[in-house]
Amino acid sequence: MHIPFCEEVCPYCDFAVVAGRDQLASRYGQALVAEIRSAEEWGPLEAVNFGGGTPSRMPAGLLERILGELSSRFGLREGAEVSLEANPEDWTLQKAESLAAAGFNRVSLGAQSFDAEVLSYLGRRHTPTQIVGAVAAARQAGFASVNLDLIMGSPSESAASWTETLRMALEANPDHLSTYSLTVEPGTILWRTVRAGASPPDPDRQAECWDEADRECARSGLVRYEVSNAARPGHPCRYNLSVWGQGEYLGFGNGAHSFRDGRRWENLRGLERYLDTVEAGRSPNRRFELIEGWAAETERVLLGIRRRAGVRAGRAGEALWESPRGRELHRAGVIGLHGDRLVVDRPLLTDEVSRAILAIPPPESAGLGNIPVPGG
Amino acid sequence: MASRSLIRNFCIIAHIDHGKSTLADRLLESAGAVSQRDMRDQVLDTMDLERERGITIKAQAVRLDYEASDGRLYVLNLIDTPGHVDFSYEVSRSLAACEGAVLLVDANQGVQAQTVANAYLAVEAGLEIIPVVNKIDLPSAEPERAAEELARVVGGDAADTIFISAKTGEGVDELTERIVEVIPPPAGDEDLPLSALIFDSYYDLYRGVVCYVRVMEGSIAAGERVMFMATGEKRDAAEIGVLTPGSVPMETLAAGEVGYLITGAKEIDRVRVGDTVTSAYRPAAVPLRGYTDPRPMVFAGIFPTDGDEYPRLREALEKLQLNDASLQIAPEFSQALGFGFRCGFLGLLHMEIVRERLEREYDLDLVTTSPSVAYRVTLPGDEPVEVRSPADFPAAGREMVVEEPWIKALVLVPPEHLGAVMEILTSRRGELGPLNYLGTERVELTCRLPLAEVVFDFYDQLKSKTRGFASLDYEADGYQPSDLVKVDLLLNGSAVDAFSAVIHRPRAYAYGREMVTRLKDLIPRQLFDVPIQAAIGSRVISRETIRAKRKDVLAKCYGGDVTRKKKLLARQKEGKRRMKMVGSVEVPSQAFVAALRVRD
């Protein structure tokens, strides 16, 4: 469930977000409801994720109503993960309590850093203290799972600062910790600054941050289960795991993606166009793609290798293993074959592996691969 | 057939951009050879590339009918000459077809080295020289100074100079009258056996090889059986004619006349510039003097960036060869670059033109290795062997004698830049000769130096150190022994043949150091540490290490953008396709280009 509204657009963000358009929130809520009602039969749902944007900016009543609509349209499985993203500065005890009452059981807090200077560089408006308060509020409201998102290796961050951020984050005792390297995405404010001569993030420095996070999380009982994610046993994010396991999902809202029955599509990205289209009773779904045959097989491996447990090698994994590039990757200690599972032993080099998989020529009998489907 | 006394055969000698082609246009106009409507600027330059670069690659000939002030109708044959140092042989053949030369100099730029060199050639060939200063309409023009320099070069009187503006037409009539007046009509005897000089040729897709000829003795008739004396090839003269500038077939061409000859020959190397055409039944006793085989002086490997393009590269080179007998090609295999060709060129400009045509007209993406020269290597007890590629150069430590080609260079430079030029020349092993002042503004400097020192970025350095004021011409000047070594570049322990170079021993360390540093910046980090070494034989003279890559992963991958990330990865994978595998090291094709690029 995509919620595009933000107070301000962060300099590194390239999601489908808007700032200063909160007055559209209730129209947007209506549109989401309409989109949910016109979706095909499906369910019951195992995980629900409200992402953004900043879902926590929406009135609790609106989020509750949308969740209610999802639940009545598709049904929620017993014990389903119902998660939302929140900014620490929005996350009051009152909001936490009403959302817990509405059925949310997991919150992902955009902490990013515990260093005021780094937060300011990242364009965030909260203080380190507010993060600690937000975690406490979530606990008090009864959230079963609390995640902190951290961004590492920004040019404004020293090694000592990252060490301190990690320490404070782990001290807040979250059930889940995401540690993302700052990336410069085309078109963002950060991208323009870097293009104008500001220093970009240093990948070697980020590798050091990653090593440190991996070590410190393990010491605190958080097990890294994906390149950028660690969790206490029982707390890995089910929604994300489903994506990496080539599971199916439906996305609602502007710019949201869906994957079902081997088809992937995305919604109109512009907020206004999305609203106008849905309000006119038309489908906002666009850019259908059929993922089948060899394309589906390589995608299975591409997604799966992000997990620490790796992926069943299958045809694509075996083809990689036997290719010259695969042998080099193995020799360099990047990949390993453990039983029938292909595992990336140097997760920071996962994209080397991904490119090698994409470079494997499709076998003759593998079907036609990726075909755009006109109109769905 | 024109009466021989009314024929004037002449050429225009000029530096690049001094206005030769514009003057030719004006002469054509004044003779009414080309109507204003059909007039494209610079009629004589037929190739797009020539038009763009403002230089003339292949000589051509145009016949103009001109009614002089004495009331008689003259036939003026304007023979165009190539305007660059690489084509001095072709220039000499064009000169041999003329009795006079218009020596054209830009009023602003004055005399350039290549004008001097070609003027000397013309004087040696016994041509009547008409000094002309062009572009007098330019506000910055210094016609008197240019005239003074011209007079010093050809040894005449500055008062004889004609001042013109080819652009506006001013002075062109005076020049035409002077051509008629002072250039002697051709000699020759129509009753002798045929001997005609081929001074240029080109390949026409439909008609085969078209050659331009100047009949020296005898005459040639359409349909006659002719023989090319150097190759012994016999063919029928399927068509003969003149160019006005469109082709006009003729029944005969007699001694003194200039025209074209088509025999249907398809291979341009059977019909060589400088060769003599004679009658197959009544051949001349001896060929005309001055013929030599085209002899490449500069060699470089040309490889397709994408190995799959090799057949297209071969086809393109073969097509270029149809029109260019001086371009030599031989298949070559490089471990680093795959299949390609070692090509021989007349000089650097020739190489540049070939490369540009391959890329532009045939849309090929190429890697060109450093240009090198042909070394003469003698191992004990063996005959000397010509080595055209550093890859074939014997390893260091073997007892051998290496000789390299030297050149005699002529540089013209304003006195304030003389110091810079001398510095460049001495740093490149130049042996300076005497200075000769052409007026107060320009010094003529002669120098002997190894050709290898010139093929590597020499022009660029000369230009930048003299703010573009120096000009250069050179000619081959034999071989002499030299202390040369092969420097290899090793990536991860294995030598990359494309980077090997033959270097004068005292410079080997500096060269090795520079290449190692460059490669370190050009080669992306790999999965493992990659040592880069420069070595002479087994002795490492310089070393750097590219540290292993530590991080290459997208931070986030969630449902929202699987497609986008996949596309991004696929694009990066495409980038990888443009990598060359050297052993286990991925080297971007661009790195080859950049590493081999000339330095400042």
Side-chain angles (χ1 to χ4, degrees), chain A residues 14-15 180-181 203-204 206-208 211 228 239 243-244 249 257 264 289 299 302 306 328-329 332 346 348-352 354-355 358-359, chain B residues 525-528 548-570 572-573 576 581 583-584 586:
Chain A
D14 74 335
F15 295 134
Y180 298 118
S181 294
D204 284 356
Q206 291 183 325
E208 278 154 27
D211 285 342
S228 307
Y239 154 67
V243 172
W244 300 320
Y249 46 88
H257 288 62
R264 186 158 44 228
E289 249 188 307
E299 197 166 302
L302 287 186
R306 292 190 64 95
E328 275 170 37
L329 288 163
R346 290 169 68 184
L348 285 180
L349 296 177
T350 300
D351 285 0
E352 282 283 351
S354 303
R355 284 189 287 268
L358 286 171
Chain B
R525 297 163 70 179
Q526 316 274 320
L527 299 174
F528 41 85
K549 158 151 77 176
R550 293 186 59 183
K551 172 177 171 286
D552 182 0
V553 64
L554 301 165
K556 250 187 184 180
C557 181
Y558 60 100
D561 58 2
V562 177
T563 298
R564 201 165 60 99
K565 304 269 160 165
K566 225 170 94 173
K567 279 187 185 147
L568 179 67
L569 289 166
Q572 293 169 343
K573 177 203 77 181
K576 291 235 169 209
M581 288 303 294
S584 51
E586 286 180 325

Side-chain angles (χ1 to χ4, degrees), chain B residues 427-429 449-458 504 507:
Chain B
S427 75
R428 289 169 184 259
R429 299 189 273 151
L449 72 168
L451 176 62
E453 297 285 348
V454 176
V455 299
F456 219 55
D457 80 327
F458 181 80
H504 190 225
R507 266 206 64 232

Side-chain angles (χ1 to χ4, degrees), chain B residues 7 29 48 76 103 214 222 235 239 249 267 269 355 358 399 404 463 483 496 519 530 538 559 561:
Chain B
I7 297 175
E29 254 174 27
D48 282 349
L76 308 187
L103 184 56
R214 153 75 194 269
R235 293 201 159 260
E239 182 179 321
E267 299 88 19
D269 63 342
R355 217 185 45 135
L358 289 172
E399 194 188 322
E404 63 176 331
K463 275 221 176 81
D483 188 11
V496 184
L519 288 175
V530 177
S538 57
D561 58 2

